[in-house]
Amino acid sequence: MTEEHQSPSQERMTILGDLDAASFVPWIERHAAKLGLSQAISHTSADRIELEVAGPTELIDMMEMGCSLGPIDVWVETILRTPVGSDAD
C-alpha cells in the first residue's frame, strides 16, 4: 500500500444554526488542533460562525462532520464550504 501526500487545502467554513459561540468557538479550536488543522475564526455570532481551515481535505471533511455533530449546546443547521485562494471565486 502506498501513502500519498496531498498538498494542503484551504477552505472557508460558514456554520449556520442556533450556536452558542462562547462555548462552540473553543470547541472548534480544540477539534481543529486534535485533527492537526490550522484554523482562524473571522466571525462569531449566535447564528453564524465563519472560519478558515487548512490541511488535508480528508481532515477538513472530518472537521465538518465534527462541527455538524458538535457539542450538545449548539444546533448546526448548515455548513457551507468554499475553497480559499482559487480562481473560482
Side-chain angles (χ1 to χ4, degrees):
M1 203 156 75
T2 62
E3 183 178 326
E4 292 183 23
H5 294 283
Q6 293 182 337
S7 60
S9 297
Q10 187 171 0
E11 295 189 29
R12 181 174 297 113
M13 294 179 89
T14 303
I15 304 169
L16 304 171
D18 184 10
L19 312 173
D20 178 5
S23 68
F24 198 24
V25 168
W27 185 94
I28 290 170
E29 292 169 342
R30 284 191 308 273
H31 194 64
K34 287 179 185 177
L35 293 172
L37 298 171
S38 63
Q39 56 80 32
I41 295 175
S42 60
H43 174 82
T44 62
S45 67
D47 61 352
R48 180 183 187 112
I49 295 175
E50 292 182 19
L51 67 144
E52 289 188 11
V53 293
T57 303
E58 294 83 3
L59 294 179
I60 295 174
D61 292 344
M62 291 174 70
M63 180 72 178
E64 178 184 9
M65 181 61 71
C67 288
S68 69
L69 299 172
I72 197 159
D73 58 341
V74 302
W75 182 259
V76 174
E77 293 282 336
T78 305
I79 298 177
L80 307 171
R81 288 173 55 177
T82 53
V84 174
S86 73
D87 294 334
D89 289 342

